[in-house]
Amino acid sequence: SASTTVKIYAFGTRGKKAQSFFHSGLLLRFGTGRVKYVFEQRDDCNNSEIETQDRFCLAVNYFANPLCSYDAMGNHYSRCKTMLTNDENCSDNRYDARGYYSSTMTDMTYLPLGPRY
C-alpha cells in the first residue's frame, strides 16, 4: 500500500540530541512503513515555504531557541503541527505537542522522544 509522507522540520542545532529520535533512523526501524518520514534540519525558521509544505508536517522547536520564536514558526510553517522539545519546566503550552508529559497540561499531546544518540 502507498505510504503517507510526513515532513519534519527542525530548527537550530542546540536541540539536535533531543531531536535525534527524528533523524537517527528510529522512525524507519520501528515504524509500520505506512508513513514515510522526511526530516529536514534548518538553521532557523525564517525560510517560508508555505506553498510547498506537505499536507502533513511537523515543525519541531527547541525550548528557548533564539533563532526561532513560536510566532515566527507559526507564521512560516502555518500548515504544520508544532512540537517543543527540551522544555523540562513545561513552561510553554502554545505548541500542539511536547517532548515531556506535564501533569498541569494533561490535555496536551506529548511524544516521549525515547533513545538518543
Side-chain angles (χ1 to χ4, degrees):
S1 69
S3 63
T4 300
T5 298
V6 174
K7 190 144 192 187
I8 300 168
Y9 300 96
F11 309 106
T13 57
R14 288 183 58 205
K16 220 168 177 182
K17 283 188 178 180
Q19 298 165 1
S20 67
F21 178 82
F22 296 114
H23 56 89
S24 62
L26 289 172
L27 288 170
L28 290 174
R29 183 175 177 188
F30 297 108
T32 63
R34 291 184 290 189
V35 177
K36 175 184 174 191
Y37 296 98
V38 177
F39 183 82
E40 188 170 320
Q41 185 77 40
R42 297 199 164 183
D43 293 333
D44 58 43
C45 61
N46 295 321
N47 298 319
S48 180
E49 295 180 3
I50 290 175
E51 65 282 347
T52 61
Q53 285 174 15
D54 292 5
R55 182 173 162 206
F56 301 105
C57 58
L58 177 66
V60 181
N61 201 7
Y62 180 85
F63 179 73
N65 182 351
L67 300 175
C68 183
S69 69
Y70 174 80
D71 292 333
M73 190 174 71
N75 288 336
H76 294 286
Y77 296 87
S78 59
R79 294 184 185 174
C80 298
K81 293 291 184 180
T82 58
M83 181 174 179
L84 182 65
T85 64
N86 300 83
D87 181 20
E88 289 91 344
N89 296 322
C90 300
S91 59
D92 194 338
N93 64 355
R94 298 175 291 176
Y95 293 79
D96 296 307
R98 54 187 314 101
Y100 289 95
Y101 172 77
S102 171
S103 61
T104 61
M105 296 181 241
T106 56
D107 60 338
M108 182 173 272
T109 301
Y110 79 104
L111 174 64
L113 296 178
R116 310 285 201 269
Y117 67 80

